[in-house]
Amino acid sequence: MDSRPTFDFPRPLLIGGLGLHLREWSDDDVEDLVALYDDPEIDRWTPVVSPFDTEAALTYLAAAQQKSAEGRSVQLAITTDGTRPRGEILLFPGTADDRDVELAYGVGAAHRGLGLATRAVRLVVGFARRHVGGRRVVLCIEDGNTASEAVARATGFALTDDEPVIRTAKGRAVVLRTWSHLEDDGPRLG
């Protein structure tokens, strides 16, 4: 996979399997989105604004819908029933290299420990390989985020020796390490 990834799909985009139904966000999801993202762990590990209230949710959904319409990214609600969101998974051009497909995810506090992130990542890796293209499928995880590192290992990712990605978020420098899916080519750390 060396082509640039593409994120332009027929709508509505639905990905199902492993007991999950991944679907695009709708305007009906505002309350659930607030419940998921107004959380100290989401605040700690993601660039999502905090507090995350109704206004923040509306802004977030509008941006997600705009990026999707422009074919720049995909943001899907993680559901077990096709209706109620329990988390989110995103696909977008890589942070360090836009030839990569980067995944990111968040699961609401009430739904952690159920394997939702692991199953969603497995589904989306398969989807990305079949439909998105790109050089590698990667996760960029902040140093110390042991829960996300565990998801990465469980879903077939390995830490690379890529230079760390440094972002400024919420007034602090964030150091992200790149994990590449093992089916991809590239250097690994032992």
Side-chain angles (χ1 to χ4, degrees):
M1 291 195 303
D2 275 328
S3 64
R4 295 213 187 279
T6 58
F7 303 93
D8 190 18
F9 307 104
R11 303 293 189 221
L13 180 59
L14 303 168
I15 303 171
L18 303 175
L20 298 180
H21 304 275
L22 309 179
R23 62 163 177 82
E24 292 179 277
W25 291 102
S26 79
D27 293 338
D28 296 334
D29 293 323
V30 171
E31 279 185 44
D32 288 321
L33 192 56
V34 171
L36 295 172
Y37 275 11
D38 192 35
D39 171 70
E41 287 299 300
I42 296 291
D43 179 43
R44 180 178 179 190
W45 299 115
T46 75
V48 173
V49 299
S50 181
F52 196 87
D53 56 15
T54 299
E55 183 178 334
L58 290 168
T59 300
Y60 187 84
L61 285 176
Q65 291 163 349
Q66 181 69 33
K67 288 184 271 185
S68 176
E70 294 171 358
R72 293 187 293 133
S73 70
V74 175
Q75 292 177 236
L76 302 170
I78 300 170
T79 79
T80 56
D81 59 5
T83 304
R84 183 153 185 248
R86 300 177 187 302
E88 176 181 42
I89 188 158
L90 301 82
L91 296 85
F92 52 96
T95 299
D97 188 326
D98 67 1
R99 295 174 300 166
D100 292 338
V101 177
E102 188 172 333
L103 308 182
Y105 49 84
V107 174
H111 311 291
R112 293 186 189 128
L114 303 174
L116 297 173
T118 300
R119 290 183 281 156
V121 168
R122 284 186 178 131
L123 280 175
V124 172
V125 165
F127 177 84
R129 292 201 180 289
R130 290 186 307 276
H131 302 289
V132 178
R135 180 177 70 128
R136 302 182 296 179
V137 178
V138 300
L139 297 167
C140 290
I141 300 173
E142 185 175 353
D143 284 339
N145 188 340
T146 56
S148 282
E149 291 172 354
V151 169
R153 285 186 189 94
T155 54
F157 286 79
L159 186 60
T160 71
D161 62 1
D162 293 7
E163 287 294 318
V165 175
I166 311 291
R167 281 191 201 139
T168 301
K170 300 175 185 173
R172 68 180 181 93
V174 177
V175 178
L176 301 171
R177 301 298 308 263
T178 301
W179 295 68
S180 180
H181 197 263
L182 290 175
E183 291 183 25
D184 297 321
D185 295 329
R188 311 271 179 262
L189 292 179

